[in-house]
Amino acid sequence: MKRIDALFDIERTINGLSARERLRVRQEQSAPLVASLKAWLSEERSRLSRSASVAKPIDYMLKRWDRFECFLNDGRICLTNNAAERALRGFALEGSPGSSPVLSAEPTAPRRWSR
């Protein structure tokens, strides 16, 4: 967790900067941490059996590593999708079973299929 926390600390310091400046800081500060995190995860995974409780989450992360580290090459990309999730919070699917769902921006839209 300390490794991930360090990445988020960097992200907090560059919040509000231009994409170009965020990219520069990420390449200087975050990229070495990300490389270190991948090496650590790979080393830890090699010591675990398939039945270890953390093996599956580590495998999941390592298989999707290229998607995780894409924020290092584009200053426009956020480390998390929290902003997108907050933006979509007011949307809900409306419709009835068997019909095509319709997106609604109504804050009171039902969150379940209506009958």
Side-chain angles (χ1 to χ4, degrees), residues 48-58:
L48 298 170
S49 71
R50 279 188 281 164
S51 60
S53 64
V54 296
K56 193 172 183 179
I58 290 174

Side-chain angles (χ1 to χ4, degrees), residues 61-94:
M61 181 75 171
L62 291 173
K63 286 178 187 174
R64 290 156 182 83
W65 196 260
D66 58 331
R67 294 180 218 165
F68 168 66
E69 68 179 1
C70 69
F71 80 101
L72 295 173
N73 300 313
D74 189 337
R76 299 169 299 167
I77 297 174
C78 294
L79 181 57
T80 69
N81 67 345
N82 290 345
E85 287 182 4
R86 279 194 303 275
L88 292 173
R89 202 171 271 164
F91 287 88
L93 288 174
E94 287 186 349

Side-chain angles (χ1 to χ4, degrees), residues 5-18 21-30 33 71 79:
D5 287 344
L7 289 172
F8 279 100
D9 287 344
I10 294 168
E11 289 299 304
R12 279 189 284 279
T13 65
I14 63 175
N15 188 27
L17 298 179
S18 70
E21 191 61 19
R22 283 193 304 272
L23 178 59
R24 183 188 64 75
V25 173
R26 285 174 177 170
Q27 289 176 345
E28 290 174 3
Q29 298 178 23
S30 299
L33 295 175
F71 80 101
L79 181 57

